[in-house]
């Protein structure tokens, strides 16, 4: 037995020995050179984000008649996003959101979370699949008509895919039997996919059948308190759009099938907008034309100003609901006198994917995307020289610059990409960078090889070009706000 075990041990030893000393084989079967052990310095360097590895496949870039339904209306944001490989159509009104778009959307969600938490909002997640019983109780099952996606389960029970969640959240709060006035105002919100059976989806993410929305619901002790909450949410919305660098107009609006006593829309002025707005040039009054006579020109607020019509893209909507839903679903609380009272409610929506597309629509050129700086997928793109060019040796400096930015500017970690497609000219890569909308593009060329290295920096929002030292570059990018 012992000789046999000895032979087995010998074979195992030889196999291990060969595995340790023989070079690995690549996919072609050829031996690869043994890699040198990594230095202490290289272990500290995090992997560089490379443009060649970003998933924006070229076969998705073409945008023509084949990528939309016959007669479907399109717009600048849809064209640019599809050309850049940011979105890809799946079926009418539905899109694949590719990685760069997801990065941007996640940043927008973080900004929204910051503003909602700032006014006391608490985040939750409610089912997208909603029982028809709730909607029939509120009488919206029939009121919503064909826009509501409806389905039956295997037992024949009716459900819908939620376009909004007034019924669901009010039922949730109603189940808390011991809710006290001391716990109010209660502001609950979610950011989830919503569904609406649009008859004619169009304009890419501006009007789809599946989309992301932030919907918040408030519960207050009184009408006065509910109005205060309403104003605080509207102020948070204004702050949000200010942080994004978007000019947004708050206009009086119709309450529609959601109902309530008061409603405002938040509109981004744009020629492609589907809403008609009336804005006074003499005061702060503005309204959706649905709330006024379309031929009215005198301002109902200041009486002296003239109303001018424009178009807008609705990106937010607020409603003061009163007791419309809380009375139906018995959402009550114990007041200061220890008596039961029905809560006053509000609901507040933001179109997350619509904000992305609308921002691109109003900020971009015809040739390239311009993002709100705070939510750009990546903040900086570094371009090394073309391989084989006279300044090819500056390529190493480009890689070092990427690591320097990450090490010295914590806010830019994970925000700097290196366009390693050095088989392409600087001009072609500059054009691609302009199309994708990186806020800052840094060209590492001849100037980087000088005794005092200089880098060409292009600020895409304005088209301004600067030549900065490394210290100047760190100072500039150190002021970039990220989330």
């Amino acid at each position: 037995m012992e000789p046999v075990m000895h032979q087995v041990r010998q074979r195992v030893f030889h196999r291990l020995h060969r595995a340790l000393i023989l070079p690995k084989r690549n996919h072609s079967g050829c031996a690869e050179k043994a890699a040198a052990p990594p230095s202490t310095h290289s272990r500290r360097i995090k992997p560089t984000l490379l443009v060649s590895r970003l998933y924006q496949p070229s076969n998705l870039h073409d945008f023509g008649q084949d990528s939309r339904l016959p007669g479907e209306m399109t717009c600048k944001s849809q064209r640019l996003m599809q050309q850049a490989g940011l979105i890809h159509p799946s079926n009418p009104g539905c899109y694949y959101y590719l990685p760069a778009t997801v990065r941007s959307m996640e940043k927008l969600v973080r900004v929204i979370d910051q503003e909602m938490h700032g006014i006391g909002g608490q985040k939750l997640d409610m089912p997208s699949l909603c029982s028809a019983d709730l909607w029939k109780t509120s009488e919206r099952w029939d009121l919503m008509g064909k826009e509501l996606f409806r389905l039956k389960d295997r037992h024949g029970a009716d459900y819908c895919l939620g376009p909004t969640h007034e019924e669901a959240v009010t039922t949730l709060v109603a189940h808390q039997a011991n809710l006290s006035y001391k716990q109010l105002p209660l502001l609950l919100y979610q950011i989830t996919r919503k569904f609406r059976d649009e008859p004619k989806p169009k304009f890419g993410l501006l009007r789809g059948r599946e989309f992301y929305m932030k919907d918040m619901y408030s519960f207050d002790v009184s009408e006065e308190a509910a109005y205060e909450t309403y104003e605080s949410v509207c102020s948070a919305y204004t702050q949000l759009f200010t942080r994004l660098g978007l000019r947004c107009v708050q206009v009086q609006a119709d309450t529609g099938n959601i109902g309530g006593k008061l409603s405002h829309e938040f509109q981004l002025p744009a020629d492609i907008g589907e809403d008609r707005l009336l804005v006074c040039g003499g005061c702060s009054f503005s309204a959706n034309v649905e709330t006024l006579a379309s031929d009215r020109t005198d301002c109902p607020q200041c009486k002296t100003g003239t109303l001018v019509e424009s178009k807008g893209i609705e990106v937010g909507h607020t409603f003061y609901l009163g007791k419309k839903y809380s009375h139906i679903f018995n959402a009550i609380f114990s007041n200061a006198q220890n008596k039961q009272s029905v809560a006053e409610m509000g609901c507040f929506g933001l179109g997350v994917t619509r904000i992305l597309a609308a921002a691109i629509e109003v900020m971009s050129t015809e040739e390239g995307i311009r993002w709100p700086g705070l939510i750009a997928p990546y903040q900086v793109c570094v371009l090394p020289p073309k391989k084989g060019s006279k300044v090819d040796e500056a390529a190493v400096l480009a890689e070092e610059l990427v690591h320097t930015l990450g090490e010295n500017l914590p806010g830019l970690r994970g925000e700097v990409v290196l366009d390693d497609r050095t088989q392409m000219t600087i001009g072609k890569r500059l054009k691609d960078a302009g199309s994708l909308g990186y806020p800052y593009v840094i060209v590492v060329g001849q100037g980087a090889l000088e005794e005092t290295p200089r880098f060409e920096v292009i600020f895409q929002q304005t088209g301004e070009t600067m030549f900065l030292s490394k210290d100047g570059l760190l100072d500039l990018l150190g002021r970039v706000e990220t989330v």
Side-chain angles (χ1 to χ4, degrees), residues 36 44 55 60 79 87 147 172 247 253 260-261 301 324-325 334 351 361 368 402 434 445 452 457:
R44 291 199 304 266
Y55 186 67
L60 301 184
R79 174 175 58 81
I87 59 173
E147 286 192 1
L172 173 68
R247 185 173 74 87
K261 301 179 180 180
Q301 182 169 293
K324 174 180 170 64
Y325 295 93
S334 297
E361 186 70 36
V402 172
T452 303
V457 184

Side-chain angles (χ1 to χ4, degrees), residues 28-263:
S28 65
C30 299
E32 296 178 346
K33 293 182 179 179
S39 66
T40 304
H41 177 69
S42 65
R43 289 194 197 102
R44 291 199 304 266
I45 296 177
K46 292 184 178 180
T48 302
L49 287 166
L50 304 176
V51 169
S52 66
R53 298 299 305 272
L54 299 181
Y55 186 67
Q56 291 173 301
S58 58
N59 64 329
L60 301 184
H61 289 190
D62 295 334
F63 181 77
Q65 292 296 331
D66 292 340
S67 63
R68 63 182 189 270
L69 295 175
E72 181 186 348
M73 297 180 69
T74 186
C75 61
K76 179 169 61 177
S77 59
Q78 182 182 7
R79 174 175 58 81
L80 291 174
M81 293 184 81
Q82 289 191 217
Q83 284 177 342
L86 299 178
I87 59 173
H88 185 65
S90 169
N91 46 64
C94 301
Y95 287 84
Y96 295 94
Y97 304 152
L98 299 181
T101 300
V102 172
R103 276 184 63 91
S104 181
M105 189 164 66
E106 288 174 343
K107 291 181 178 183
L108 177 55
V109 167
R110 286 198 288 273
V111 179
I112 293 172
D113 284 340
Q114 289 171 0
E115 296 302 327
M116 295 304 99
H117 293 164
I119 57 173
Q122 300 179 63
K123 197 172 187 178
L124 78 170
D125 199 341
M126 291 180 276
S128 294
L129 194 62
C130 302
S131 169
D133 292 340
L134 293 180
W135 286 71
K136 289 176 181 178
T137 300
S138 67
E139 299 183 349
R140 288 209 297 168
W141 182 259
D142 295 322
L143 183 63
M144 288 292 292
K146 293 183 178 180
E147 286 192 1
L148 195 63
F149 273 108
R150 305 162 197 260
L151 64 156
K152 289 181 180 289
D153 69 9
R154 66 177 66 196
H155 306 294
D158 289 316
Y159 290 87
C160 67
L161 294 176
T164 182
H165 279 72
E166 283 80 9
E167 289 83 357
V169 74
T170 312
T171 300
L172 173 68
V173 172
H175 284 166
Q176 183 176 347
N178 58 346
L179 186 65
S180 167
Y181 74 97
K182 295 179 181 179
Q183 296 171 268
L184 304 183
L186 176 63
L187 285 75
L188 301 175
Y189 79 98
Q190 62 176 353
I191 300 177
T192 57
R193 286 180 186 262
K194 296 291 191 294
F195 304 87
R196 185 179 295 125
D197 194 358
E198 289 283 353
K200 293 182 179 180
K202 56 185 176 181
F203 300 147
L205 301 188
L206 290 180
R207 183 163 292 281
R209 303 205 299 173
E210 182 179 7
F211 49 93
Y212 279 90
M213 188 173 85
K214 187 283 300 179
D215 46 322
M216 173 181 272
Y217 306 91
S218 63
F219 298 82
D220 274 283
V221 298
S222 67
E223 185 171 336
E224 181 183 6
Y227 276 117
E228 290 178 3
T229 296
Y230 187 95
E231 290 301 324
S232 71
V233 177
C234 288
S235 296
Y237 279 18
T238 299
Q239 172 67 13
L240 169 71
F241 291 114
T242 298
R243 289 182 65 187
L244 295 177
L246 297 172
R247 185 173 74 87
C248 197
V249 181
Q250 181 180 340
V251 304
Q252 293 182 14
D254 185 25
T255 57
N257 57 33
I258 289 181
K261 301 179 180 180
L262 176 67
S263 175

Side-chain angles (χ1 to χ4, degrees), residues 449-460:
L449 297 173
E450 296 175 0
E451 185 176 350
T452 303
R454 293 186 309 139
F455 301 92
E456 181 181 352
V457 184
I458 302 167
F459 181 45
Q460 299 248 55

Side-chain angles (χ1 to χ4, degrees), residues 232-304:
S232 71
V233 177
C234 288
S235 296
Y237 279 18
T238 299
Q239 172 67 13
L240 169 71
F241 291 114
T242 298
R243 289 182 65 187
L244 295 177
L246 297 172
R247 185 173 74 87
C248 197
V249 181
Q250 181 180 340
V251 304
Q252 293 182 14
D254 185 25
T255 57
N257 57 33
I258 289 181
K261 301 179 180 180
L262 176 67
S263 175
H264 286 89
E265 293 169 346
F266 288 77
Q267 298 271 356
L268 292 186
D271 292 337
I272 197 68
E274 298 182 81
D275 291 301
R276 296 166 58 201
L277 314 177
L278 294 173
V279 181
C280 178
C283 69
S284 60
F285 178 82
S286 55
N288 192 306
V289 73
E290 296 173 343
T291 65
L292 298 171
S294 59
D295 59 348
R296 181 167 184 170
T297 59
D298 61 305
C299 176
Q301 182 169 293
C302 69
K303 310 299 183 183
T304 58

Side-chain angles (χ1 to χ4, degrees), residues 409-421:
L409 304 175
L412 289 185
R413 288 173 187 165
E415 294 288 341
V416 183
V417 298
L418 178 71
D419 193 341
D420 60 323
R421 302 171 300 163

